Amino acid sequence: MDIRHLLEQYEAGQRDFTGLDLRNIDLSRQTLLGLGLVGTNLTGANLSRAFLTQSDLSETFLNWADLSYVKLSEGRLVDADLTKAVLVGAFLVKSDLSKAKLSGADLNGANLRGACLHRANLCGTNLQGANLRNADLSGANLSWANLNGARLSGANLTGAFLTGVNLEKAFLNGLDLKGVDLTGVNLSQAKLNGADLSQANLTLSNLSEAQLQGASMTQANLMGADLSGAHLSHAELSWSDLSRANLDRADLSHAHLLGIKLDEARFQAVILTEAARKYFSLLSSETQNGKQDAPAAAMDPPSPRQDDWGAIAPSYAPASYRSASAPQLGSLSASSDRPLWY
């Protein structure tokens, strides 16, 4: 069917164009609301700047198609093939793209607020600057996707695959990332204020200059992570593992540091409350002098205050750390495998 015939039928009131072969058709800038295009072949089609609000393109072939700046809010793209498609600036608010194939697609600056991307394939997809607020990304494959500067506040990432994803400068405030595997992920300058990263695996991740004020990172694995210049004031870091982490210039003022491990960690010019500063100074001096144990006099830290460290909470402490009696400091060497107890 050519474009003239399609437009004539649309003007006559027809909306169902299911299963047609419309490869390479040019529908750019056309207003075609509520179309039924289920299973239609639109490979290589030009739909740029078209108005397709509330249209159904489920199971449609749209690979290599141009949907830049298309208006498709509240549309259906369930199980659609959008491999290598161009969706720059596309308006897909509250659209259903569950199980859609978007591998290698370009969604730079696309608006996907409240959209459903459940189990969608977004491997290698460009989502730079995209609006994904309150989007459902549960079970989605975001491996090697570019989410630089993307807005993800309120999004659901339960069960999402995040291997190699780029979240630099992304907005993740208040996001639930509990137990998520973010090994080696780039989160530099990301906004994670109030986010839940408890029990998350952040091994070797890049969190340099990230905003983590008030974030929960209880029992998080931060081994080898780059936290240089990170803002961690009032963050909950209890029982986290910061072995070999880079904390240079990090702001840890009023952070909860109960039970943290700092083996071979770097912490030059770190910002701390007074009680914590003495402990970090002690570790720094021991590291420089190559000592294994601190002098007895230096092993008596100031009494912890509620506003500095928070109350001891055995309920969330790992079983290996729990004790019926108060724990003892033991060695305070930077190379010690004992955690910081206060």
Side-chain angles (χ1 to χ4, degrees), residues 262-329:
L262 289 164
D263 302 6
E264 302 178 50
R266 294 176 50 182
F267 37 86
Q268 295 297 316
V270 66
I271 301 172
L272 297 157
T273 51
E274 187 59 32
R277 187 184 304 279
K278 293 181 180 180
Y279 181 82
F280 275 76
S281 297
L282 176 61
L283 285 186
S284 181
S285 62
E286 287 179 355
T287 302
Q288 293 172 4
N289 297 330
K291 296 181 180 179
Q292 296 300 313
D293 295 293
M299 290 173 58
D300 298 323
S303 298
R305 301 197 304 272
Q306 178 71 21
D307 60 340
D308 283 346
W309 307 106
I312 294 176
S315 60
Y316 64 72
S320 59
Y321 289 128
R322 294 174 191 163
S323 175
S325 57
Q328 301 300 311
L329 276 173

Side-chain angles (χ1 to χ4, degrees), residues 164-228:
V165 66
N166 179 17
L167 289 164
E168 182 180 0
K169 299 180 182 177
F171 292 80
L172 306 160
N173 293 325
L175 205 60
D176 183 2
L177 293 165
K178 184 176 181 178
V180 172
D181 188 357
L182 292 164
T183 303
V185 167
N186 184 5
L187 287 153
S188 62
Q189 300 182 60
K191 310 296 187 296
L192 286 150
N193 298 321
D196 185 357
L197 288 154
S198 56
Q199 301 175 30
N201 187 355
L202 290 150
T203 305
L204 300 175
S205 60
N206 183 359
L207 287 153
S208 59
E209 299 184 31
Q211 300 282 339
L212 288 151
Q213 289 96 327
S216 176
M217 303 174 81
T218 305
Q219 296 186 51
N221 186 350
L222 288 151
M223 291 182 64
D226 185 358
L227 289 151
S228 57

